[in-house]
């Protein structure tokens, strides 16, 4: 066996040596297609366009198609791009039409960044030479979101199209590049954007090859606040021997109030931003007295019995809050509930303990103010507002990306302003304010701070912490693991190669698409195996090292630097099957440090885009290890990609309100995609410790 291995090794090096001699044309030119191809490139580097064109044409006549990993003989492979190189030679020689034809043919066979780069350059010169052609600035159409629309989500998908006769070469969305390579007349774009509370501007900029630029801006308003409920006064009154409680106030919302449950009346509002109410309710408040409330409003200000009122507020609904009850928190008169929702279904609920509220509102809270020229220069009010937040004690760990903050603020004079994490709540002044707001959570501890001010600038603060855990199967550690190997380079400038390697590794870590194995672990494995970094250019060594590092894939990258350009080619290799899963490349003639970083960011983005994270459902089971999912070709998944099977764990609910705080996940097992059809895919279940039975309707996510 050992002898056989030695013979194979000698055979491999023998033919490799012959090929090397053929490349150098040291008297052993064998008239093979790869000989003509390599010699044509050598002529090109010497600017010998005539001989280069002759050899590259000869190579094309013998092997037509551009492709990566073209097999020459034995186990020797080369990246073969004769049409691309011929196009570059034609471009250098000034024959632009021929250059465009060859470069287009190359891209049709096998797209490469270098071909795209020179095709864009050739087309730009052709456009500039067409002096009679008037190229208007690019036209930008934003399909969604609609300008002026209101939304409540944490993100928005910007979708649209740019077009222009000057060929669209660059698109920026909020100053971030929307990545594509080949300039075209029409480019469609779709990008998920994070949004903040209030007005958000979405700015799309498009530039064509001629430098013409257009910009389009749309605004969307993000409202994650429920309507603010402002209680102006609560007092007791008596009529005809009966006692009543009168509540006056108003409800405000920046995007428009939709529905109100006021006492025991369900009211449909036509998106008014302010709604004033004046309600008189007979006492005592008991369930038997429901329906006896009297509303003092103009007839046009409310519409009762509307079919648009949410089912949760309709009579008989198990989710309808009890508006009047004799079981007051203090066992006194009772509680009145006011519930309001806006056009985006943000909600706020106010619970008024009538006995306590009457005491608070009628307590002598007069302040002595001295004024000069209309401005307060002194106030005897030294009492800050009182903040009461709901559900903030012993908050369980949450798994969702947002938290519902709900509370009330009372002041003996007026509540001037309320802030949640330094974002002002859109509410008018009032003595007692009820508010709600959705706060975006990041992974880990989230400090939520509520500040309230009165007109005398007295401040009250209440704070609490919410811890967010990302469900296990969604974490970066559950993604496809990759080891970024040192770059292969034959260049003398080792500094540039190392810089590009550092930048690419950093880009992978920042994007959090893959589980990137620490470089320290690579160095440890190399030391243990007594291997140098140079040895990693051998696929056998690199794949073995990847397996020892428990990496599912390795990223093998080569960099080719010339005096005028840089080309970087990365291959994603499956360490289990040794299959090259993807090849992506980048090319530029700008060798500045900023350009290198942008180049590596682009390369990392290209690779991540080839392995989308998508979720699906188990729809059928075949043999003991065959699973079928509803993810098909439109999901852009690929063969041999790993998947994780899971199901939702126990739902985490708030112990007081019962509001859902999300689900953790139960990992059931892992698999690998074997076959992809239009509407489904077949997955081979891997036998790993801890695997559990997988059932129809269980979930899956790509690694």
């Amino acid at each position: 066996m050992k002898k056989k291995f030695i013979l194979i090794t000698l055979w491999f090096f023998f033919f490799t040596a012959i090929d090397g001699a053929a490349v150098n044309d040291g008297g052993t030119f064998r008239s093979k297609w790869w000989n003509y191809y390599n010699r044509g490139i050598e002529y090109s580097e010497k600017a010998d366009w005539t001989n280069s064109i002759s050899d590259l044409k000869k190579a094309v006549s013998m092997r037509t198609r551009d492709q990566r990993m073209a097999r020459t003989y034995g186990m020797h492979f080369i990246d073969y791009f004769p049409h691309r190189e011929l196009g570059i030679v034609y471009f250098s020689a000034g024959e632009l039409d021929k250059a465009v034809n060859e470069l287009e043919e190359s891209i049709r066979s096998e797209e490469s960044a270098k071909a795209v780069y020179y095709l864009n350059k050739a087309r730009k010169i052709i456009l500039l030479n067409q002096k009679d052609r008037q190229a208007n600035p690019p036209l930008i159409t934003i399909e969604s979101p609609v300008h002026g629309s209101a939304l409540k989500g944490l993100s928005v998908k910007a979708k649209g199209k740019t077009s222009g006769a000057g060929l669209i070469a660059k698109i920026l969305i909020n100053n971030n590049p929307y990545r594509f390579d080949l300039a075209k007349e029409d480019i469609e774009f779709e990008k998920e954007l994070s949004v903040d509370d209030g007005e958000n501007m979405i700015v799309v900029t498009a530039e064509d090859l001629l430098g013409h630029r257009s910009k389009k801006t749309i605004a969307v308003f993000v409202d994650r606040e429920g309507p603010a409920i402002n209680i102006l006064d609560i007092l007791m009154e008596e009529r005809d021997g009966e006692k009543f409680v009168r509540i006056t106030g108003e409800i405000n919302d920046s995007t428009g109030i939709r529905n109100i449950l006021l006492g025991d009346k369900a009211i449909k509002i036509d998106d008014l931003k302010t709604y004033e109410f004046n309600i008189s309710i007979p006492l005592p408040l008991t369930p038997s007295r429901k329906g006896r409330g009297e509303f003092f409003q103009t007839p046009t200000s409310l519409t009762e019995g509307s079919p648009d009122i949410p089912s949760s507020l309709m009579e008989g609904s198990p989710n309808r809050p009890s508006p009047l009850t004799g079981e007051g928190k203090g066992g006194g008169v009772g509680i009145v509930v006011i519930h309001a929702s806006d056009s985006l279904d943000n909600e706020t609920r106010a619970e008024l303990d009538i006995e306590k509220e009457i005491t608070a509102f009628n307590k002598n809270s007069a302040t002595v103010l001295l004024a000069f020229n209309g401005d307060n220069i002194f106030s005897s009010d030294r009492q800050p507002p009182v903040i009461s937040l709901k559900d903030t004690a012993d908050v369980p760990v949450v798994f969702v990306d947002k938290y519902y903050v709900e509370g009330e603020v009372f002041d003996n004079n007026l509540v001037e302003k309320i802030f949640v994490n330094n974002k002002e709540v859109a509410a008018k002044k009032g003595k007692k304010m009820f508010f709600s707001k959705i706060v975006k959570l990041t992974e880990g501890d989230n400090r939520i701070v509520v500040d309230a001010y009165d007109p005398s600038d007295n401040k009250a603060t209440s704070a609490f912490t919410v811890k967010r855990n990302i469900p296990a199967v969604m974490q970066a550690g559950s993604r496809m693991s990759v080891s970024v190997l040192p770059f292969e380079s034959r260049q003398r400038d080792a500094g540039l190669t190392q810089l590009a390697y550092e930048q690419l590794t950093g880009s992978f870590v920042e994007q959090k698409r893959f589980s990137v194995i620490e470089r320290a672990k690579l160095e440890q494995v190399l030391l243990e195996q007594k291997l140098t970094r140079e040895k990693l250019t051998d696929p056998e060594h690199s794949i073995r090292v990847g397996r020892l590092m428990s990496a599912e894939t390795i990223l093998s990258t080569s960099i080719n630097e010339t005096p005028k350009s840089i080309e970087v080619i990365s291959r994603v290799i499956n360490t289990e099957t040794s299959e090259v899963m993807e090849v992506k490349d980048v090319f530029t003639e700008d060798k500045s440090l900023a350009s290198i970083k942008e180049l590596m960011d682009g390369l990392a983005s290209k690779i991540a885009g080839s392995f989308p994270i998508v979720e699906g459902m188990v729809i059928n089971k075949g043999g003991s290890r065959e699973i079928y999912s509803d993810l098909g070709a439109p999901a852009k998944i690929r063969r041999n990609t790993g998947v994780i099977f899971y199901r939702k764990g126990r739902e985490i609910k708030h112990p007081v309100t019962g509001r859902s705080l999300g689900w953790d996940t139960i990992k059931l097992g892992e698999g690998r995609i074997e076959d992809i059809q239009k509407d489904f895919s077949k997955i081979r279940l891997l036998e790993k410790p801890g695997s559990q039975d997988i059932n129809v309707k269980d979930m899956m996510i790509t690694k």
Side-chain angles (χ1 to χ4, degrees):
M1 186 70 183
K2 186 175 180 181
K3 187 180 294 184
K4 182 178 180 181
F5 174 76
I6 294 172
L7 289 173
I8 292 173
T9 304
L10 290 173
W11 172 84
F12 174 78
F13 282 111
F14 173 74
F15 280 102
T16 302
I18 290 178
D19 180 60
V23 171
N24 295 323
D25 195 18
T28 57
F29 191 88
R30 295 181 294 147
S31 301
K32 301 294 184 180
W33 58 265
W34 62 87
N35 298 128
Y36 286 108
Y37 175 66
N38 286 317
R39 193 172 69 177
I41 293 175
E42 288 182 354
Y43 282 134
S44 172
E45 292 171 350
K46 298 173 183 177
D48 186 347
W49 312 132
T50 301
N51 283 321
S52 179
I53 290 170
S54 175
D55 273 0
L56 290 171
K57 279 186 171 181
K58 184 66 175 178
V60 167
S61 70
M62 300 174 73
R63 187 183 181 112
T64 303
R65 185 172 172 270
D66 285 21
Q67 68 178 98
R68 297 196 184 276
M69 300 295 288
R71 184 166 176 254
T72 56
Y73 56 86
M75 295 300 293
H76 189 67
F77 298 85
I78 63 170
D79 285 347
Y80 178 64
F81 287 90
H83 287 288
R84 180 186 73 186
E85 299 303 324
L86 186 55
I88 295 171
V89 172
Y90 278 132
F91 174 83
S92 302
E95 300 185 58
L96 298 178
D97 289 336
K98 290 182 179 179
V100 167
N101 290 337
E102 293 296 334
L103 293 167
E104 287 178 340
E105 179 61 34
S106 176
I107 291 170
R108 278 192 292 268
S109 298
E110 182 85 54
E111 184 169 327
S112 65
K114 189 176 181 181
V116 168
Y117 182 89
Y118 278 100
L119 180 55
N120 286 341
K121 288 189 70 171
R123 285 174 170 171
K124 178 179 179 179
I125 295 173
I126 290 173
L127 288 170
L128 288 171
N129 290 337
Q130 295 175 348
K131 297 180 181 179
D132 57 334
R133 182 174 180 177
Q134 295 293 329
N136 295 319
L139 176 66
I140 303 172
T141 303
I142 301 178
E143 299 173 8
S144 65
V146 177
H147 177 66
S149 60
L151 47 97
K152 63 181 289 187
L154 301 177
S155 64
V156 61
K157 184 175 289 185
K159 184 178 180 181
K161 178 181 178 181
T162 64
S163 57
L167 305 183
I168 307 302
K170 181 187 295 185
I171 297 175
L172 299 176
I173 303 177
N174 286 357
N175 289 324
N176 293 314
Y178 180 77
R179 298 193 181 278
F180 63 95
D181 292 326
L182 184 60
K184 297 179 182 178
E185 283 197 19
D186 299 295
I187 300 286
E188 295 182 350
F189 61 85
E190 185 173 318
K191 189 175 183 67
E192 197 78 20
L193 303 173
S194 295
V195 288
D196 296 321
D197 293 351
E199 189 175 55
N200 291 258
M201 311 304 291
I202 298 176
V203 183
V204 178
T205 305
E207 184 177 320
D208 64 19
L209 287 175
L210 300 176
H212 298 142
R213 177 176 285 208
S214 295
K215 180 185 292 186
K216 187 161 188 177
T217 302
I218 66 167
V220 295
F221 188 82
V222 177
D223 178 13
R224 303 185 189 123
E225 296 176 10
I229 301 175
N230 181 356
I231 306 300
L232 300 174
D233 200 7
I234 299 179
L235 54 86
M236 298 286 291
E237 59 185 21
E238 187 173 336
R239 298 195 309 271
D240 301 327
E242 278 196 275
K243 290 185 177 181
F244 295 81
V245 59
R246 181 177 295 278
I247 307 171
T248 59
E250 64 181 31
I251 301 173
N252 307 292
D253 191 84
S254 56
T255 56
I257 308 160
R258 179 65 55 85
N259 298 292
I260 298 174
L261 184 65
L262 194 62
D264 59 351
K265 286 284 190 182
I267 306 168
K268 172 70 169 61
I269 308 297
D270 295 326
D271 294 338
L272 294 176
K273 294 189 176 181
T274 298
Y275 182 85
E276 297 179 355
F277 61 87
N278 185 340
I279 179 174
S280 183
I281 303 173
L283 296 176
L285 299 176
T286 64
S288 62
R289 301 295 294 272
K290 279 187 181 182
R292 294 185 59 184
E294 300 174 19
F295 291 79
F296 295 84
Q297 292 285 346
T298 58
T300 58
S301 66
L302 57 89
T303 304
E304 300 178 26
S306 169
D308 294 327
I309 294 174
S311 59
S312 62
L313 303 184
M314 299 302 290
E315 193 73 44
S317 168
N319 298 319
R320 175 182 167 118
S322 175
L324 307 175
T325 173
E327 300 174 358
K329 291 179 180 178
V333 176
I335 293 173
V336 172
V337 173
I338 301 174
H339 185 284
S341 61
D342 64 15
S343 57
L344 297 173
D345 292 328
N346 295 306
E347 300 178 339
T348 302
R349 174 187 170 98
E351 292 186 2
L352 301 172
D353 187 322
I354 297 303
E355 187 173 30
K356 291 182 179 180
E357 301 295 353
I358 288 174
T359 301
F361 270 81
N362 290 280
K363 185 178 180 181
N364 183 10
S365 60
T367 58
V368 178
L369 298 175
L370 301 177
F372 180 75
N373 291 336
D375 296 326
N376 292 338
I377 60 172
F378 175 79
S379 170
S380 65
D381 181 9
R382 292 291 182 264
Q383 298 182 31
V386 178
I387 303 173
S388 298
L389 300 179
K390 293 184 180 180
D391 317 327
T392 58
D394 300 323
V395 180
V397 173
V398 306
F399 291 95
V400 291
D401 56 1
K402 50 185 174 285
Y403 191 78
Y404 187 73
V405 180
E406 194 173 13
E408 59 187 76
V409 180
F410 176 83
D411 188 75
N412 59 337
N413 182 10
L414 282 176
V415 179
E416 177 85 11
K417 293 179 180 179
I418 302 172
F419 294 86
V420 179
N421 283 357
N422 297 319
K423 299 282 187 179
E424 186 173 1
V425 175
K428 293 185 178 180
K429 297 178 183 179
K431 201 163 187 178
K432 184 157 193 171
M433 304 293 300
F434 292 84
F435 68 94
S436 66
K437 187 177 182 64
I438 295 173
V439 175
K440 183 178 180 180
L441 302 179
T442 58
E443 185 178 6
D445 290 338
N446 294 262
R447 187 73 170 163
I448 298 176
V449 180
V450 178
D451 297 312
Y453 296 84
D454 66 12
S456 300
D457 210 30
N458 295 309
K459 176 185 176 183
T461 298
S462 183
F464 64 102
T465 299
V466 178
K467 184 175 182 179
R468 181 196 174 202
N469 283 350
I470 297 177
V473 300
M474 309 295 177
Q475 294 176 9
S478 296
R479 302 280 67 80
M480 183 168 74
S481 58
V482 60
S483 175
V484 183
L485 301 183
F487 288 6
E488 176 187 0
S489 174
R490 297 184 179 88
Q491 314 307 317
R492 294 181 179 178
D493 188 356
L496 185 143
T497 299
Q498 184 63 22
L499 173 65
Y501 170 62
E502 298 282 354
Q503 293 286 0
L504 182 61
T505 304
S507 296
F508 273 112
V509 172
E510 287 176 9
Q511 70 180 200
K512 297 182 179 180
R513 165 58 188 90
F514 302 100
S515 175
V516 182
I517 295 178
E518 297 178 4
R519 192 171 59 191
K521 189 172 182 180
L522 171 63
E523 300 294 345
Q524 180 183 349
V525 170
L526 290 177
L527 183 63
E528 290 173 353
Q529 297 297 309
K530 299 180 180 179
L531 293 172
T532 62
R533 288 183 169 217
E534 289 72 21
K535 288 286 188 181
L536 293 178
T537 59
D538 184 334
E540 181 181 343
H541 289 310
S542 61
I543 291 172
R544 178 161 60 91
V545 167
R547 289 172 182 165
L548 290 171
M549 295 174 66
S550 300
E552 294 168 291
T553 58
I554 56 173
L555 191 71
S556 177
T557 305
S558 62
I559 181 169
N560 180 30
E561 181 195 1
T562 71
K564 296 182 179 180
S565 66
I566 300 171
E567 182 183 23
V568 183
I569 306 169
S570 285
R571 289 174 167 83
V572 182
I573 303 172
N574 188 309
T575 57
E576 182 179 343
T577 65
S578 301
E579 173 198 11
V580 177
M581 301 178 70
E582 183 59 282
V583 181
K584 291 296 180 183
D585 64 341
V586 288
F587 179 88
T588 186
E589 291 182 342
D590 182 356
K591 300 171 67 175
S592 66
L593 295 180
S595 175
I596 297 298
K597 184 181 187 315
E598 183 179 351
L599 203 66
M600 294 302 98
D601 285 345
L603 181 56
S605 178
K606 280 185 173 185
I607 294 170
S610 298
F611 297 91
I613 300 176
V614 289
E615 293 183 83
M617 180 184 291
V618 175
I619 58 175
N620 202 352
K621 296 175 67 176
S624 60
R625 295 173 59 195
E626 285 184 355
I627 306 290
Y628 293 86
S629 85
D630 61 354
L631 292 180
K636 297 182 180 179
I637 56 177
R638 56 178 60 232
R639 288 181 66 255
N640 285 325
T641 299
V643 302
I644 298 174
F645 295 101
Y646 71 96
R647 67 172 63 112
K648 287 183 177 180
R650 181 175 62 88
E651 184 178 14
I652 308 300
K653 292 186 176 182
H654 196 284
V656 178
T657 63
R659 188 183 298 275
S660 177
L661 302 178
W663 292 262
D664 198 359
T665 52
I666 300 172
K667 183 177 177 180
L668 304 176
E670 296 186 18
R672 195 172 298 283
I673 299 173
E674 282 192 338
D675 186 39
I676 303 169
Q677 300 296 325
K678 180 181 178 182
D679 299 316
F680 69 91
S681 55
K682 185 174 77 171
I683 302 162
R684 173 68 58 180
L685 185 63
L686 302 178
E687 294 181 348
K688 288 195 173 186
S691 296
Q692 302 181 38
D693 287 338
I694 298 171
N695 302 320
V696 172
K697 293 188 179 180
D698 280 334
M699 303 299 293
M700 56 160 286
I701 185 171
T702 53
K703 293 191 72 178

